[in-house]
Amino acid sequence: TGPFAGPYAGRPYTGAEYARFVLDVLDKLAIPRFAIAGNSLGGEVAWRVAAAEAQRVSQLILVDSAGYPLDGVSLPLGWQLARLPVLGHITEHLLPRPFIVQGLVAVYGDPRKITEPLVDRYFELTLREGNRAALVQRAQQWSPSEGVATVTGVTAPTLILWGGRDQLIVPSTAQRFAKDIPGAQVQVFDDLGHVPQEEDPVRTVAAVKAFLR
């Protein structure tokens, strides 16, 4: 889930709405019980699902998760432009490659890991039909003050993973989640950023596997 995940026609781009959509899909697939994980906005979707259907969620994994209001957040340039009334609509047709690079620099703890093939992949995802318009809609519906005061209703065993160099959602947020979710475990990767599962998939998946076992 995120700004490059495809258009979401006719429904608002909110965590609560995404969670309802995920539950609709799981109901359609007749999956009664499951573990769920998410990164960033996807993390908010995951914990909202776990709160709404506590009896169905066996385990929850939050990775640099959104959900609380953001104070002093430093947004990537492309996201800032998408939020503007006029320039935002221009980005529906034009999202230059340097904006993609700047966005990756904002979410990677170590910019040296940003390779040309990685930039190519992110850029290609923005070319999917409807994606740029979806990015604009999501950006314009979002505000730093959105979110909840406390995460309530989550009872599943929870693992909270965080990048210590996260510039978008500060690492102290991990402890905030841990305070609101009883028994939650926290693991911080000091050298990684907002997408630790991309920067170091081997190390982060090891933590996930150990938790799921």
Side-chain angles (χ1 to χ4, degrees):
T1 304
F4 304 119
Y8 192 55
R11 300 172 76 168
Y13 284 81
T14 64
E17 191 67 27
Y18 271 132
R20 183 67 263 164
F21 175 78
V22 169
L23 286 167
D24 288 346
V25 172
L26 291 166
D27 290 343
K28 186 71 174 179
L29 296 174
I31 298 175
R33 190 164 169 81
F34 50 87
I36 187 168
N39 170 232
S40 195
L41 171 61
E44 179 178 350
V45 174
W47 70 252
R48 286 185 181 275
V49 167
E53 298 283 346
Q55 74 283 1
R56 298 178 64 182
V57 177
S58 60
Q59 289 163 292
L60 171 65
I61 302 170
L62 302 178
V63 184
D64 296 72
S65 175
Y68 300 106
L70 301 177
D71 299 320
V73 63
S74 178
L75 298 174
L77 180 59
W79 185 262
Q80 294 182 47
L81 293 178
R83 286 171 49 77
L84 299 175
V86 176
L87 289 177
H89 290 293
I90 292 176
T91 63
E92 291 185 23
H93 309 286
L94 178 67
L95 190 61
R97 184 183 171 91
F99 286 8
I100 304 297
V101 174
Q102 194 271 343
L104 286 169
V105 169
V107 299
Y108 267 60
D110 183 356
R112 293 173 299 179
K113 295 179 180 177
I114 301 172
T115 63
E116 287 299 312
L118 179 68
V119 176
D120 289 342
R121 181 57 176 155
Y122 268 80
F123 183 72
E124 288 164 1
L125 287 170
T126 70
L127 300 179
R128 178 180 173 182
E129 184 178 356
N131 264 18
R132 291 182 177 180
L135 171 61
V136 171
Q137 291 176 48
R138 169 60 184 158
Q140 294 184 352
Q141 290 173 21
W142 178 84
S143 72
S145 61
E146 75 177 31
V148 295
T150 59
V151 173
T152 59
V154 176
T155 59
T158 301
L159 174 65
I160 300 167
L161 302 180
W162 223 271
R165 295 182 180 177
D166 192 339
Q167 302 175 56
L168 296 181
I169 307 179
V170 294
S172 60
T173 309
Q175 299 302 328
R176 190 169 180 181
F177 274 108
K179 179 181 176 182
D180 286 344
I181 301 175
Q185 306 172 32
V186 177
Q187 183 167 348
V188 177
F189 299 93
D190 291 334
D191 57 326
L192 304 180
H194 186 63
V195 287
Q197 76 282 4
E198 286 193 26
E199 281 196 82
D200 195 331
V202 173
R203 198 161 27 128
T204 51
V205 81
V208 170
K209 285 182 175 180
F211 173 70
L212 292 177
R213 283 197 296 267

